Amino acid sequence: MRAHDDPTTLVPRTPLTDRLGWLGLRSGQILLVIILASAVIFGLVQLKLVVIPVLIAIILAAALSPVINGLRKRGVAAILATWITLLGGIGVFGGIITLIVFAVRDQWDELFTSASEGIDHLQQFLIDGPIQVDEKQIDDARTAVADFLTSSQFGTGALAGASVVFELVTGAVLLVVILFFFLKDGGQIWNFFLTPFKGERLARGRRIGHTSLRVLGGYVRGTAIVAAVDATAIGIGLAILQVPLALPLAVIVFLGAFIPLIGATAAGVLAALVALVASGPGVALIVIIIVIAVNQLEGNFLQPVVMAQSLKLHPLVILVGLTAGTIVGGIVGAVLSVPIAAVAWAIAKAWNTPDAPRPRAIPPKRRVRKR
């Protein structure tokens, strides 16, 4: 027997084989992963003019995949199905935006004025009310929020003049072009990336692709349905209470629903502030009750039904993702962070499929008794 085959032989202890050395090696590996991840995120932020259109195009292509797949199943050529889906999506989206703009364009100034007056009323109540909050603390908090909303972090860069126009136009053109190719050749593009893999790794790559497509598409379609229901319910409630600016407030509720947790809450606070200025504290309290009821209906009934398999994340994970996305990419990062987190979690669950067949145990051979 050789020395290393003897179980009683002790391995010599070195600074790398003892427990402290093992912990040091693992800590170094973790630090290296963090450094590499930070470098990747920094590079993506610097290339946001390309990265953001690509991410949005992936999400929209996933949402429109049932349309183009249905057209192809009915015998429509791939290029024609792509053009129908793309132009139809642009027409529907552009039509909705146009209707919203023409419906509320004359009321935005009044909305901002009412919201500002509502904040002033709330501030005066906090100063003169039973809590007796210091006026300087409120002014400092208000200034800090305003500075953040106008900072480069929130707006993903310095939004100034021709620069922002150029970025918006370039991003829109890139988005349309990338979306066209994702709709037309999405499957072929993913298969190209899977070319180096064989066997189980290839099956895993295909499984990840199907899972990501399903989760992203379900998230976008489900969020749109939830946003429409929230905006309709709150808008009807505001109209019944005869709160002014009900239509632009409903539009803000619809747009805010694409930022989970925070967006709907902020839209509800804005509606309550407008109601406070226009109709008094009683109506504002009723508006708050309506917003809470709609949010409870959404969280306990609508979301589990509409987005059952698309967004199974703990609220704490969503809040952390929203915070990180806002810091890295501003308002666009806040919108994209939750679907990215949902896809990452879905990929982690699909990495090893739970439905993989387990190896069957070989039954022991029966001994035949000789007679």
Side-chain angles (χ1 to χ4, degrees):
M1 180 182 294
R2 290 175 293 183
H4 65 273
D5 294 334
D6 187 1
T8 61
T9 303
L10 297 178
V11 179
R13 299 176 66 86
T14 64
L16 294 179
T17 57
D18 60 5
R19 184 173 296 276
L20 183 60
W22 181 84
L23 290 174
L25 288 175
R26 291 295 179 266
S27 301
Q29 292 172 349
I30 293 173
L31 289 175
L32 181 60
V33 170
I34 293 175
I35 292 173
L36 291 176
S38 302
V40 170
I41 293 174
F42 177 79
L44 293 178
V45 170
Q46 301 306 311
L47 296 174
K48 61 181 180 293
L49 186 60
V50 177
V51 173
I52 291 176
V54 169
L55 292 177
I56 297 177
I58 292 175
I59 294 174
L60 293 179
L64 295 174
S65 59
V67 178
I68 191 169
N69 290 336
L71 291 174
R72 289 183 177 181
K73 288 179 181 179
R74 286 169 172 77
V76 181
I79 185 67
L80 183 58
T82 302
W83 278 113
I84 292 175
T85 305
L86 181 63
L87 296 178
I90 293 175
V92 171
F93 182 76
I96 293 174
I97 296 297
T98 302
L99 290 176
I100 290 174
V101 170
F102 277 99
V104 303
R105 62 179 179 177
D106 297 330
Q107 302 180 16
W108 286 114
D109 293 337
E110 186 180 353
L111 175 62
F112 291 141
T113 302
S114 299
S116 180
E117 292 178 1
I119 293 174
D120 293 336
H121 279 63
L122 183 61
Q123 178 177 345
Q124 195 64 36
F125 171 77
L126 292 176
I127 294 173
D128 300 334
I131 304 177
Q132 295 291 330
V133 180
D134 187 11
E135 184 176 2
K136 185 177 182 304
Q137 294 178 349
I138 298 177
D139 291 336
D140 292 342
R142 194 169 176 176
T143 303
V145 173
D147 291 342
F148 174 72
L149 292 178
T150 56
S151 65
S152 60
Q153 282 186 333
F154 187 80
T156 64
L159 301 180
S163 176
V164 65
V165 173
F166 172 78
E167 289 188 3
L168 289 176
V169 173
T170 305
V173 173
L174 278 175
L175 172 61
V176 172
V177 173
I178 295 172
L179 179 59
F180 173 82
F181 285 107
F182 280 167
L183 289 173
K184 179 177 177 293
D185 302 321
Q188 298 178 12
I189 294 173
W190 185 245
N191 290 332
F192 171 78
F193 285 110
L194 297 179
T195 302
F197 302 104
K198 303 293 181 183
E200 174 59 28
R201 293 183 177 179
L202 178 61
R204 177 179 295 162
R206 290 175 176 170
R207 189 166 61 245
I208 288 174
H210 290 305
T211 301
S212 302
L213 183 67
R214 174 179 55 82
V215 171
L216 272 180
Y219 174 83
V220 175
R221 293 188 294 270
T223 302
I225 294 173
V226 170
V229 172
D230 287 355
T232 302
I234 294 178
I236 291 175
L238 295 176
I240 293 175
L241 294 173
Q242 296 183 351
V243 176
L245 308 172
L247 183 57
L249 287 172
V251 171
I252 292 177
V253 170
F254 177 81
L255 298 177
F258 285 89
I259 305 178
L261 300 180
I262 298 177
T265 303
V269 170
L270 180 62
L273 289 175
V274 174
L276 177 64
V277 173
S279 306
V283 176
L285 181 60
I286 297 175
V287 170
I288 293 175
I289 294 174
I290 292 174
V291 171
I292 294 175
V294 171
N295 287 336
Q296 290 298 316
L297 177 65
E298 170 197 330
N300 296 324
F301 174 73
L302 194 58
Q303 272 197 352
V305 173
V306 176
M307 306 173 64
Q309 302 297 326
S310 302
L311 187 61
K312 287 188 175 181
L313 296 177
H314 193 275
L316 180 60
V317 178
I318 295 176
L319 285 175
V320 172
L322 285 173
T323 305
T326 304
I327 294 174
V328 173
I331 188 65
V332 178
V335 174
L336 297 178
S337 60
V338 177
I340 291 175
V343 170
W345 177 239
I347 290 175
K349 292 192 298 182
W351 192 260
N352 291 315
T353 173
D355 300 329
R358 297 180 180 179
R360 298 177 60 184
I362 301 176
K365 295 182 179 180
R366 297 181 179 180
R367 295 181 179 179
V368 180
R369 295 182 180 180
K370 296 182 179 180
R371 297 181 179 177

